[in-house]
Amino acid sequence: MDFIQGFLDTIDWQVLSLTAGRFLLILVLGWIAMRGLRLLLGRVEKTLLDRQQATTSIEAMEASKRVETLIRLLRQASSIVIGVVVLLLALREIGLDITPILASAGIVGLAVGFGAQNLVRDVITGFFMIMEDQVRVGDVAIVNGTTGVVERIGLRTIVLRDGEGTVHTFPNGTISTCLLYTS
């Protein structure tokens, strides 16, 4: 029992309570930032959907899918950023030195960036293709010399089915020409 009492006597309760308070404040502010972000992106999504001047229900459905995809991408990216910042602040508050973590993350980020250049290029190109509504599912298009019906458009790839039924998948970053047939 004297051992436990001796241990409790060595604790600086004022420092512990201040650290715990700051730690909880970081968590609460992170939660508030996530909730605020969710509300803001919900309003942006509603505004974008209200602005769509769709003449048919199919166009409205495609516009809704495009807006939903963009908002989901923004929500995921910003949630990751907020989560990482909260984690680093919390680690620093409990006394861990985050400098090596930041340096390691920078080196890993650089290595991954060099290795994932094509993936990043595909995703960015896909983001702008979806945002600018350049091509839609169901359009007949010529992509890099291949003619077919657009079956799917994603952030990374576009999928065509040609007249013989062959499915062609093109990474968005490699698309050099994309012509649409209009009826």
Side-chain angles (χ1 to χ4, degrees):
M1 194 65 162
D2 291 333
F3 173 74
I4 295 173
Q5 185 63 37
F7 176 73
L8 292 176
D9 289 340
T10 62
I11 295 175
D12 187 354
W13 292 102
Q14 185 177 8
V15 171
L16 182 64
S17 64
L18 287 174
T19 301
R22 287 192 300 256
F23 184 80
L24 286 175
L25 181 64
I26 290 169
L27 294 178
V28 168
L29 290 176
W31 181 81
I32 290 171
M34 294 288 268
R35 295 294 298 171
L37 173 75
R38 192 172 302 256
L39 288 172
L40 177 68
L41 288 176
R43 287 184 182 172
V44 168
E45 183 176 17
K46 184 176 179 346
T47 302
L48 289 174
L49 288 174
D50 290 345
R51 276 193 196 162
Q52 298 294 328
Q53 299 296 328
T55 57
T56 66
S57 63
I58 293 174
E59 288 177 3
M61 194 171 18
E62 287 182 7
S64 172
K65 286 181 186 178
R66 186 174 73 244
V67 168
E68 184 179 311
T69 301
L70 293 173
I71 294 297
R72 184 178 55 232
L73 178 68
L74 291 172
R75 185 175 290 135
Q76 288 173 349
S78 52
S79 294
I80 289 170
V81 169
I82 291 172
V84 167
V85 168
V86 166
L87 177 67
L88 289 175
L89 288 173
L91 287 174
R92 188 183 72 182
E93 193 55 46
I94 62 172
L96 291 176
D97 185 16
I98 62 171
T99 306
I101 296 171
L102 292 175
S104 299
I107 293 170
V108 168
L110 188 64
V112 169
F114 280 125
Q117 282 178 343
N118 291 337
L119 175 67
V120 171
R121 183 184 63 202
D122 292 343
V123 169
I124 290 172
T125 304
F127 177 80
F128 283 110
M129 282 178 63
I130 292 170
M131 187 174 78
E132 295 171 356
D133 199 22
Q134 294 177 359
V135 79
R136 294 180 179 180
V137 173
D139 286 348
V140 177
I142 303 174
V143 175
N144 293 348
T146 304
T147 303
V149 176
V150 178
E151 284 196 342
R152 189 169 35 101
I153 302 169
L155 283 175
R156 236 187 104 248
T157 60
I158 185 169
V159 178
L160 294 181
R161 184 177 298 272
D162 66 14
E164 298 173 357
T166 306
V167 175
H168 301 272
T169 303
F170 298 95
N172 291 331
T174 64
I175 297 174
S176 58
T177 59
C178 183
L179 303 171
L180 296 178
Y181 283 114
T182 57
S183 51

